[in-house]
Amino acid sequence: MKMPKHAEASSVFVVVTHFEGTCFGSLFEVKLDGQGKEGSATHETQPVLETVSRFTTKDLDWGMWKFCTLGAKIYILPDGGPDLFDMEVCFPTCSGHIFDIKTGKVVSSLKPPAPKWFGTHVSAYGKIYSLSDPYCSCDVPEPSFEQYDPITQSWQKLSSFPYSEEYGNTEIQGYAVCDEILLFSICGCKENCDALWAYDVIKNKWCPVQVGNIGCYFRRRAVVVDKTIYALSILHMVVVAFSITSNQNEEGHISYSIGSLLQLDFPQVIDWRSDQHLVHLGNLVFYLVQSGFDDEVDVRQPLSITKFKIVGGSEINIISSMLFEVDLGDSGPFCVQLCFRPEWEDVTLIEEEIATSINRAKQVSVLHQVIPVPYQAGITPLPAYEVCSSSQPPEPSDVAEQFQQVSIQQEEAPCHSIQQVSVSSKSMIFPLRPGKGTTGKRFLVKANHFFAELTDKDLHQYDVTITPEVTSRSVNRAVMFQLVKLSRDSHLSKRLPVYEGRKSLYTAGPLPFQSKEFKITLLDDDDEGQGLPSFKPYVLIACIFSCNYFLSLLYHVFDDGFLLVARREREFRVVIKFATRIDLHDLVLFFQGRKADAPEKALQVLNNIVLRELPISRYCPVGQSFYDPGLGRKLPLGNGLESWHGFHQSIRPTQMGLSLNINMSSTAFTEPLPVIEFVTRLLNRNIQAKPLGHSDRVKIEKALRGVKVEVTHRKNMPRKYRISGLTSQETRELAFPIDERGTMKSVVEYFLETYGFAIQYPYWPCLQVGNQQRPNYLPMEVCKIVKGQRYSNILNERQTIALLKVTTQRPFEKEHDIIQIVRHNAFDQDPYAKEFGIKISENMAQVEARILPAPRLKYHNTGKQKNCLPRFGQWSMINKKMVNGGKVSNWICINFSPNVQESVVKSFCYELAQMCHISGMVFNAEPVLPPVSARPDQVEKVLKAQYHDVMTKIPGKELDLLVVILPNNNGSLYGDLKRICETELVLVDAISRRIPLVSDRPTIIFGAGMTHPHPGEDSSPSIAAVVASQDWPEITKYASLVCAQAHRQELIQDLFKQWQDPVEGTMSGGMIKELLISFYGATGQKPQRIIFYSEGQFYQVLLYELDAIRKACASLEPNYQPPVTYVVVQKSHRTRLFANNHGDRHAVDRSGNILPGTVVDSKICHPTEFDFYLCSHAGIQGTSRPAHYHVLWDENKFTADALQSLTNNLCYTYARCTRSVSIVPPAYYAHLAATRARFYLEPVTSDSGSMSSGMGGSGGGRNSRAPGPKASVRPLRALKENVKKVMFYC
């Protein structure tokens, strides 16, 4: 905002009106302290009062006026009420005026609103709202409520305030602007006629605010800070602080109520004046501005300003009280009419910014909230559209042109401002929780969350510089450990700091210095060769022998040149310098709902540093998990791997405050074996002293790269090294120089002569350690794998099964182990937790949950059972027929399993045809060709031959179904099969029940998913998939599109695309657009509601994908913007829910898990945002993992019950089985489609695979990595046309 020179320093503007003289009003500027920190109580200097302008009768007609601001302009509106003395209308026809603060002049006149009886004028959302109030029991016309648009320079009549007789003697005392509502405080002469009313700017509706017995009525303009309203009480000289909450019932009616209320008393007597105004300076520092003395006092009036700060959320601290002499000219007493600070206005836009925002709103690339449009039937249907691959730009189609021509009828509604959304994640405000759900039977469950009590201690951050700089966190920690050990009592004021291993140190309270230097000495053991002199081995050896101080050195060996290095003391210079203070009070405000964003820095320090300090010294850390063989369940996984048991812990902000989330975990570690024995187990065969084959070398190098080993041939001096690869030469071929003349000695000879050690595997390569610039070599047989190294490569099938057996725990077992871990860790004895004032409860949180009812499923009327109600999340197909059963006319069967006889195959084919017929499908009993058997290694040859024979027998027709029988150990056969011919037809038991909240208007439901290549695959692309429902109103069939993109690229790049065609000009396409058109072709309707379930869990992903949706919609029709609800689906979290009583049969299913349909939206959920945990499936083995749903965008204004029930009902529409599933099917389908598409891209062997994103895979959820430069990506193989028409990924 551009301001005049008066506003260069931080300023408060004050408008006063006079009762006599030639000047009826003045504008003053109070210049604040420009040198000290804004809002601080320190470095206080006296503000300066300057006169900006005078409002004289030359510019304005004499009369009574009201003032409000909009950006850099003051709007002066006539106060046309009855004169208090003669009860006559003063000047109802007088025009209003606009005063420009920049020029100090009245720049234009404006048409006044309808006659206002002492009206109140509010500037909000780029407009002025004017509301009149009846006064003095006069016979007045109906009170009016109008809106002034500075762009059109016109007034528009809005929904009238619902006055009644009880408000006949009332006036509007105060107002506030927050969350798209205008809040008015009304006070009257009659008893019990005070009230708060809310006006919804978007819906143009009035609604009373339920206040109960809370005295929250206020006067003048209130200040809104982080959704907390601060205002002056109407009765007493106190500040009231409260919030407004909205609730929406199932019919969509919204009601408002007062949140927690605080009354803040001034610590000293403050005169009660009718012209007091509150101005927020920032940091909860305020000005209380008023006239200095009563009008009757025959003293020249000063301007009184009291500066105060709200401390701890409940206490007022007076900073200063000031009186300013006011230059009134020939004017008499004055009254303060308006105080404002432009940069802290509730919502202010100058005219230029308003025009810019309106132009931006017209551009589809800007994200904005959309008003939901009521569904109107009778839209002209469009011809069917065939979905094309998203890998190439789609051709122009008649469907897209007709799509643009179809218009949706809308109810007449006033013009509303559009809410702009910044692309900055920090400014993103997610939907608040619309109340808690009420549907379903209530009961208690336990969650693996433990309440964390935090005392009021300030965190202090210090920058750490260690010289010489080292890259090892362990070395840095050793330096800091020694520093704390030596200096804690003397220089650190007995504080116990925590150190993150790099650049930052944290303390609970300040250290007694701003900056200090320490010198620390450590004994350098040169682990992994760090810090070694940059000498060639033979040069250093020569120096050692020639200098003849051999006995004063300790020898270390590099086996390419057997480098001898002296162990020495190393001195480090450590500088600790104060960086910043982290206020934990922000956490309190966040939990109270008075701060929108969680203080991430404070949470990061508590979570990743303080509570990790002790476990790091006890266990082996892996991310936020900790493992140790002493925690039990250490079992071999095969091929040189073993499983270690451990636990995950993380601090989470929840409704109950901070909670520590703890869950059991298991992962694979490399067994601490001699390298030769590890290789034997890896290759799974007896190895002899002969050369290794190429495939064996590749497998060994892949398994050992990055593994740390220690040498065993020098018992008195073990050394550790990290393997970087294998030598290209065999050990018998390796030699090194032993003197300056370059005399060479072989590794085999050296070990025999020096250590009497005969190399048993001279035909094997050596291990290469160190870096590529200075490689060093170690024979495998003198090395042993160091204990405690996690295996980061993907497990093969046998290892995965073995690990699952270890990790699978029944609920009561897992709960018991979690409790034992909490007790074992003894947080009450943790010195770091004590130092920082953290107390962890030993009891799991008890949480209120509800069981949502399962939907009733309807089947075909010709079946014996026409509908069924699932029990425990599952049902049977017996005696039921599918509503829209598929048709299979042409099919064949191929058997690749050598253990399945031909007679069994024929019997299976006959029974399959019979069962499909009974289930409601049209299924040809005879295959096109008799079943055949073949060897697995001939899969491609046999498939192509059979397909050729089929096409010869049924020319011009398609093969509907291929049935393949696979052996138990099929290796890469499955992937090869899918890559060669993806023609599977899904057997869908369609649910013909119109799901509430999506069947009322055309609704499309999207799902987005991503898979990444497994660790070690540095060049393979990531695969993205998007699915969308196609059969509204049933919502059971989904079309999908997939694309390959850059390696580990998280954002789906093909959601929306634009390109230049030399003939057609600018063209557009992409996944979203194609699926929208496909929906239209299938249903004949344009989606009027979009629900998007995504694995993405980061703000940038939301903004990118939401922007793509907006652009795709606008590319079909300029004004086509259906409301969007964007929900994140998370499975890779650590929250688990347990029955409150494991013995209660009514509370658990057969597996001992909580019942399907269990939903939790309280206590362990986000303090303010819209999220919930839903366990929609029945447990089979182990402990069920609920899905976590977090609403990041909601223009459809779902209630908690509505979205929870919709999500739960959708989980019963999964096509693969007659069970409810654990996550909502669109997200599930997208994940399956992305996984399936990887088979088209690359061959899959038994020890490779893909890492999922957000679905419980080792890769976790999608991160916020932005799109990088376009890299060369191998395109996916094109799907066959008949595959696109079915849900092939199921």
Side-chain angles (χ1 to χ4, degrees):
M1 176 184 210
K2 297 180 179 179
M3 294 297 295
K5 62 181 181 179
H6 301 286
E8 289 176 359
S10 191
S11 304
V12 170
F13 291 89
V14 181
V15 176
V16 303
T17 54
H18 310 294
F19 298 105
E20 57 187 47
T22 60
C23 180
F24 72 83
S26 299
L27 173 65
F28 298 105
E29 178 186 1
V30 182
K31 287 188 176 181
L32 308 181
D33 173 24
Q35 305 299 323
K37 183 179 178 182
E38 184 180 15
S40 67
T42 59
H43 307 291
E44 186 75 25
T45 60
Q46 184 74 9
V48 177
L49 182 72
E50 293 184 359
T51 302
V52 177
S53 185
R54 298 285 174 84
F55 308 131
T56 67
T57 54
K58 295 180 181 179
D59 298 318
L60 306 176
D61 297 326
W62 182 267
M64 300 184 67
W65 302 90
K66 286 290 181 69
F67 299 80
C68 68
T69 63
L70 199 60
K73 293 181 173 58
I74 298 176
Y75 286 74
I76 308 171
L77 298 171
D79 204 14
D83 188 274
L84 294 181
F85 303 101
D86 57 18
M87 306 303 292
E88 294 179 358
V89 176
C90 297
F91 46 93
T93 60
C94 182
S95 62
H97 303 275
I98 301 176
F99 176 83
D100 193 335
I101 302 177
K102 298 177 183 179
T103 61
K105 297 180 180 179
V106 174
V107 293
S108 61
S109 300
L110 74 159
K111 179 184 176 181
K116 290 285 176 282
W117 300 83
F118 294 95
T120 296
H121 309 296
V122 182
S123 60
Y125 310 111
K127 294 180 174 59
I128 296 175
Y129 296 83
S130 182
L131 175 65
S132 63
D133 50 2
Y135 194 74
C136 297
S137 301
C138 304
D139 293 329
V140 298
E142 178 184 357
S144 65
F145 183 46
E146 295 176 292
Q147 170 190 280
Y148 178 77
D149 188 335
I151 301 299
T152 62
Q153 298 183 5
S154 62
W155 290 89
Q156 179 183 8
K157 188 173 178 60
L158 301 178
S159 177
S160 296
F161 177 81
Y163 279 102
S164 61
E165 291 185 1
E166 65 183 19
Y167 296 117
N169 264 354
T170 60
E171 62 177 318
I172 300 167
Q173 290 282 355
Y175 68 89
V177 181
C178 59
D179 286 342
E180 297 176 343
I181 66 169
L182 308 182
L183 185 68
F184 292 93
S185 176
I186 299 175
C187 177
C189 302
K190 297 181 181 179
E191 187 177 358
N192 298 326
C193 67
D194 296 347
L196 288 184
W197 280 82
Y199 171 74
D200 191 317
V201 175
I202 298 297
K203 295 185 177 181
N204 188 27
K205 291 184 179 180
W206 288 92
C207 183
V209 179
Q210 304 300 321
V211 297
N213 296 323
I214 302 176
C216 57
Y217 307 111
F218 60 94
R219 52 197 169 96
R220 299 293 182 180
R221 185 175 70 90
V223 173
V224 181
V225 182
D226 289 335
K227 299 188 179 181
T228 297
I229 299 173
Y230 296 91
L232 296 169
S233 171
I234 204 168
L235 298 176
H236 310 288
M237 192 54 241
V238 298
V239 174
V240 292
F242 60 92
S243 60
I244 297 291
T245 59
S246 62
N247 301 285
Q248 187 174 6
N249 60 19
E250 295 182 356
E251 289 76 26
H253 298 300
I254 296 178
S255 60
Y256 297 94
S257 59
I258 290 293
S260 57
L261 174 79
L262 292 175
Q263 289 193 352
L264 313 179
D265 296 318
F266 284 92
Q268 63 191 54
V269 177
I270 302 293
D271 292 334
W272 191 97
R273 301 284 293 153
S274 61
D275 64 346
Q276 288 174 334
H277 291 259
L278 208 56
V279 182
H280 184 219
L281 307 182
N283 257 351
L284 291 182
V285 177
F286 297 83
Y287 265 1
L288 177 66
V289 183
Q290 60 182 348
S291 54
F293 306 113
D294 291 336
D295 300 341
E296 292 77 13
V297 178
D298 189 19
V299 179
R300 192 172 182 85
Q301 274 184 300
L303 181 69
S304 171
I305 298 180
T306 302
K307 186 177 182 180
F308 66 90
K309 179 179 177 67
I310 296 179
V311 182
S314 59
E315 182 180 344
I316 290 180
N317 178 24
I318 300 293
I319 297 174
S320 62
S321 295
M322 300 161 283
L323 293 177
F324 294 94
E325 293 293 331
V326 180
D327 180 11
L328 300 177
D330 62 346
S331 301
F334 67 88
C335 177
V336 179
Q337 287 285 348
L338 178 68
C339 294
F340 63 97
R341 189 174 175 213
E343 59 269 43
W344 284 94
E345 251 340 302
D346 296 320
V347 179
T348 57
L349 294 171
I350 60 175
E351 280 86 339
E352 295 87 344
E353 292 171 326
I354 295 172
T356 301
S357 69
I358 290 179
N359 291 332
R360 288 176 180 170
K362 295 178 181 178
Q363 300 173 4
V364 298
S365 61
V366 177
L367 308 179
H368 55 271
Q369 293 277 19
V370 178
I371 306 169
V373 181
Y375 168 56
Q376 298 291 331
I379 298 178
T380 306
L382 295 184
Y385 174 76
E386 185 173 86
V387 180
C388 66
S389 170
S390 67
S391 61
Q392 297 295 331
E395 296 295 330
S397 66
D398 294 336
V399 176
E401 294 176 3
Q402 292 183 42
F403 197 105
Q404 294 179 356
Q405 296 171 4
V406 177
S407 61
I408 300 177
Q409 298 177 6
Q410 302 184 16
E411 293 181 348
E412 292 185 3
C415 177
H416 299 297
S417 60
I418 294 175
Q419 177 183 344
Q420 302 287 333
V421 178
S422 169
V423 296
S424 169
S425 63
K426 292 184 179 180
S427 64
M428 194 73 187
I429 300 177
F430 298 133
L432 297 180
R433 188 181 305 282
K436 296 176 181 178
T438 58
T439 301
K441 179 183 177 182
R442 297 177 183 272
F443 65 105
L444 289 178
V445 296
K446 288 180 285 188
N448 58 337
H449 286 243
F450 299 83
F451 176 65
E453 183 181 354
L454 191 63
T455 58
D456 190 14
K457 290 191 176 183
D458 289 333
L459 301 181
H460 287 69
Q461 178 180 346
Y462 293 83
D463 292 335
V464 175
T465 304
I466 298 179
T467 308
E469 185 177 356
V470 292
T471 59
S472 171
R473 282 181 181 265
S474 60
V475 175
N476 287 340
R477 288 183 182 278
V479 171
M480 191 56 63
F481 177 83
Q482 186 74 358
L483 187 153
V484 174
K485 179 181 177 181
L486 297 175
S487 305
R488 181 181 180 186
D489 292 339
S490 56
H491 298 293
L492 304 182
S493 298
K494 297 186 177 182
R495 299 199 183 280
L496 182 61
V498 292
Y499 178 50
E500 48 83 49
R502 293 293 187 201
K503 299 292 186 182
S504 297
L505 183 82
Y506 300 91
T507 60
L511 295 176
F513 54 80
Q514 287 291 314
S515 180
K516 192 172 184 64
E517 180 178 324
F518 299 83
K519 290 185 178 180
I520 302 298
T521 301
L522 290 183
L523 189 62
D524 179 18
D525 63 359
D526 259 346
D527 189 21
E528 299 187 39
Q530 291 189 11
L532 292 173
S534 298
F535 298 123
K536 292 292 184 182
Y538 62 87
V539 175
L540 185 56
I541 291 174
C543 292
I544 291 173
F545 285 114
S546 63
C547 292
N548 196 26
Y549 56 75
F550 179 84
L551 294 179
S552 65
L553 299 176
L554 298 174
Y555 297 94
H556 291 172
V557 179
F558 272 118
D559 287 312
D560 65 340
F562 305 96
L563 175 60
L564 302 174
V565 182
R567 191 178 186 187
R568 67 187 188 279
E569 288 186 343
R570 297 185 67 188
E571 185 176 273
F572 294 89
R573 173 177 169 268
V574 183
V575 177
I576 300 177
K577 183 179 180 181
F578 176 75
T580 186
R581 174 177 168 271
I582 303 172
D583 191 354
L584 293 183
H585 181 63
D586 288 343
L587 272 174
V588 178
L589 296 178
F590 175 67
F591 291 134
Q592 293 175 349
R594 297 164 59 187
K595 185 176 178 63
D597 298 323
E600 296 296 338
K601 186 64 176 180
L603 290 174
Q604 179 186 1
V605 173
L606 297 175
N607 187 31
N608 297 334
I609 302 174
V610 176
L611 291 179
R612 285 174 56 88
E613 196 75 11
L614 191 59
I616 282 178
S617 65
R618 291 179 174 178
Y619 311 112
C620 176
V622 178
Q624 289 188 314
S625 298
F626 302 91
Y627 298 93
D628 190 86
L631 295 176
R633 297 180 181 272
K634 175 184 174 183
L635 294 174
L637 300 178
N639 301 109
L641 303 183
E642 62 185 6
S643 68
W644 281 22
H645 206 48
F647 64 95
H648 166 97
Q649 72 173 31
S650 62
I651 282 281
R652 297 180 59 86
T654 64
Q655 293 176 27
M656 66 179 182
L658 282 179
S659 77
L660 184 65
N661 178 213
I662 295 183
N663 190 37
M664 304 313 298
S665 178
S666 293
T667 192
F669 279 75
T670 304
E671 288 190 79
L673 301 170
V675 172
I676 293 294
E677 186 176 348
F678 173 83
V679 171
T680 302
R681 297 189 183 187
L682 177 68
L683 299 180
N684 199 26
R685 69 174 188 270
N686 291 327
I687 54 176
Q688 300 174 355
K690 62 180 182 180
L692 295 174
H694 175 71
S695 61
D696 288 339
R697 291 172 63 98
V698 171
K699 193 171 185 179
I700 294 170
E701 185 168 13
K702 183 177 180 181
L704 287 178
R705 184 182 291 118
V707 174
K708 188 183 291 186
V709 295
E710 60 182 358
V711 295
T712 59
H713 65 289
R714 298 184 65 96
K715 303 294 183 182
N716 60 334
M717 188 57 65
R719 290 294 307 270
K720 296 177 183 178
Y721 306 96
R722 193 174 299 278
I723 301 172
S724 59
L726 301 182
T727 60
S728 58
Q729 296 172 291
E730 297 170 358
T731 303
R732 65 191 177 112
E733 299 173 346
L734 291 171
F736 63 95
I738 59 173
D739 56 31
E740 291 180 327
R741 297 188 300 273
T743 304
M744 304 297 291
K745 184 180 288 292
S746 72
V747 171
V748 174
E749 291 175 344
Y750 181 86
F751 269 86
L752 184 61
E753 295 174 3
T754 307
Y755 305 109
F757 188 93
I759 301 295
Q760 301 296 314
Y761 300 90
Y763 295 96
W764 284 25
C766 278
L767 301 177
Q768 180 173 318
V769 299
N771 53 47
Q772 295 294 332
Q773 290 74 28
R774 189 179 163 195
N776 300 284
Y777 308 111
L778 296 170
M780 289 188 186
E781 53 205 283
V782 301
C783 296
K784 180 182 178 180
I785 296 174
V786 176
K787 179 182 177 182
Q789 298 182 77
R790 181 182 178 238
Y791 184 73
S792 59
N793 292 330
I794 194 165
L795 303 178
N796 61 35
E797 185 177 353
R798 291 187 301 274
Q799 291 168 336
T800 301
I801 294 174
L803 183 60
L804 286 175
K805 289 181 179 179
V806 176
T807 57
T808 299
Q809 288 182 280
R810 296 179 71 85
F812 68 89
E813 295 173 344
K814 183 179 283 285
E815 180 185 342
H816 175 267
D817 283 0
I818 292 174
I819 294 294
Q820 289 300 110
I821 282 291
V822 173
R823 293 174 180 172
H824 177 75
N825 286 342
F827 291 103
D828 59 332
Q829 302 300 319
D830 185 336
Y832 298 98
K834 283 184 175 181
E835 175 76 11
F836 285 81
I838 303 174
K839 297 180 181 179
I840 307 295
S841 171
E842 291 190 352
N843 300 317
M844 280 190 177
Q846 282 195 321
V847 186
E848 185 182 84
R850 293 171 287 113
I851 300 180
L852 301 178
R856 181 170 293 276
L857 310 181
K858 183 179 180 181
Y859 285 88
H860 202 278
N861 291 331
T862 60
K864 291 184 179 180
Q865 288 190 3
K866 298 176 178 59
N867 57 67
C868 73
L869 184 65
R871 296 193 62 206
F872 298 108
Q874 54 189 316
W875 64 99
S876 171
M877 276 291 296
I878 297 176
N879 297 326
K880 303 178 185 69
K881 286 191 176 184
M882 290 173 283
V883 174
N884 298 313
K887 181 179 181 180
V888 177
S889 300
N890 306 309
W891 64 285
I892 60 173
C893 178
I894 303 176
N895 173 32
F896 288 109
S897 177
N899 298 324
V900 179
Q901 299 178 357
E902 184 178 350
S903 60
V904 176
V905 175
K906 290 182 178 180
S907 176
F908 165 75
C909 290
Y910 172 78
E911 293 177 6
L912 173 65
Q914 291 299 310
M915 180 55 68
C916 290
H917 177 72
I918 293 173
S919 299
M921 292 184 63
V922 178
F923 201 101
N924 190 346
E926 294 295 329
V928 177
L929 299 174
V932 297
S933 296
R935 298 204 316 263
D937 59 350
Q938 296 181 338
V939 56
E940 185 168 358
K941 178 181 177 181
V942 173
L943 285 173
K944 290 182 178 180
Q946 284 288 292
Y947 184 78
H948 178 268
D949 293 345
V950 169
M951 293 297 99
T952 302
K953 192 169 182 179
I954 54 171
K957 298 181 180 180
E958 291 289 341
L959 184 65
D960 298 322
L961 177 64
L962 170 64
V963 179
V964 178
I965 301 174
L966 299 177
N968 290 332
N969 263 336
N970 57 71
S972 63
L973 182 58
Y974 179 82
D976 293 338
L977 183 69
K978 295 302 178 184
R979 187 173 65 255
I980 295 169
C981 55
E982 187 65 82
T983 57
E984 179 180 62
L985 177 68
V986 180
L987 310 181
V988 183
D989 49 335
I991 298 174
S992 183
R993 178 180 185 271
R994 295 193 172 187
I995 301 175
L997 303 168
V998 295
S999 59
D1000 58 336
R1001 68 175 68 177
T1003 300
I1004 186 170
I1005 301 181
F1006 285 92
M1010 181 92 66
T1011 64
H1012 299 298
H1014 64 80
E1017 292 289 342
D1018 298 330
S1019 60
S1020 296
S1022 295
I1023 306 294
V1026 177
V1027 305
S1029 59
Q1030 300 290 298
D1031 60 338
W1032 177 83
E1034 278 76 24
I1035 316 291
T1036 58
K1037 297 179 182 178
Y1038 291 79
S1040 72
L1041 293 172
V1042 294
C1043 68
Q1045 54 188 46
H1047 179 72
R1048 297 199 173 275
Q1049 173 57 253
E1050 293 291 349
L1051 304 183
I1052 304 177
Q1053 295 174 328
D1054 281 359
L1055 287 180
F1056 180 76
K1057 300 184 295 184
Q1058 282 187 322
W1059 65 95
Q1060 291 296 322
D1061 184 272
V1063 178
E1064 300 293 337
T1066 302
M1067 305 290 292
S1068 64
M1071 292 172 150
I1072 299 295
K1073 183 174 182 178
E1074 292 181 36
L1075 291 170
L1076 286 171
I1077 296 176
S1078 177
F1079 178 93
Y1080 190 87
T1083 65
Q1085 306 282 357
K1086 284 197 302 185
Q1088 295 191 32
R1089 179 193 288 122
I1090 294 177
I1091 302 173
F1092 202 101
Y1093 289 98
S1094 173
E1095 296 177 16
Q1097 57 180 325
F1098 292 87
Y1099 310 150
Q1100 289 89 340
V1101 175
L1102 162 68
L1103 290 169
Y1104 179 82
E1105 295 181 356
L1106 194 58
D1107 184 50
I1109 296 172
R1110 288 276 178 260
K1111 291 177 179 177
C1113 292
S1115 70
L1116 293 169
E1117 182 178 292
N1119 296 320
Y1120 176 56
Q1121 292 294 326
V1124 177
T1125 295
Y1126 187 101
V1127 185
V1128 165
V1129 187
Q1130 292 177 289
K1131 280 288 286 183
S1132 58
H1133 60 82
R1134 301 289 181 160
T1135 294
R1136 300 294 183 270
L1137 302 176
F1138 305 94
N1140 199 42
N1141 180 5
H1142 291 283
D1144 185 357
R1145 291 193 211 172
H1146 301 290
V1148 297
D1149 59 16
R1150 296 175 184 175
S1151 65
N1153 280 287
I1154 55 175
L1155 297 174
T1158 299
V1159 64
V1160 171
D1161 60 0
S1162 64
K1163 206 165 185 179
I1164 61 172
C1165 294
H1166 194 279
T1168 58
E1169 293 171 9
F1170 189 3
D1171 72 326
F1172 57 91
Y1173 291 93
L1174 173 62
C1175 184
S1176 53
H1177 67 298
I1180 299 177
Q1181 61 178 356
T1183 303
S1184 296
R1185 182 189 324 203
H1188 183 223
Y1189 297 90
H1190 200 137
V1191 182
L1192 300 188
W1193 194 263
D1194 185 25
E1195 294 169 342
N1196 290 295
K1197 304 299 181 184
F1198 278 106
T1199 64
D1201 280 332
L1203 188 59
Q1204 291 166 10
S1205 297
L1206 169 63
T1207 303
N1208 186 57
N1209 289 345
L1210 286 173
C1211 290
Y1212 284 81
T1213 66
Y1214 187 61
R1216 261 187 172 182
C1217 58
T1218 55
R1219 301 174 64 96
S1220 59
V1221 289
S1222 59
I1223 61 172
V1224 70
Y1228 208 147
Y1229 291 149
H1231 177 73
L1232 291 176
T1235 303
R1236 178 66 59 82
R1238 188 164 294 281
F1239 292 132
Y1240 314 147
L1241 182 69
E1242 57 191 11
V1244 179
T1245 60
S1246 59
D1247 59 351
S1248 66
S1250 63
M1251 181 180 67
S1252 65
S1253 171
M1255 291 298 167
S1258 60
R1262 292 157 63 184
N1263 63 35
S1264 59
R1265 189 181 304 168
K1270 292 185 178 179
S1272 176
V1273 177
R1274 286 178 290 168
L1276 295 176
R1277 298 188 181 186
L1279 291 174
K1280 293 186 177 180
E1281 290 303 318
N1282 60 337
V1283 173
K1284 295 179 182 179
K1285 301 174 184 178
V1286 296
M1287 296 166 64
F1288 65 92
Y1289 40 82
C1290 285

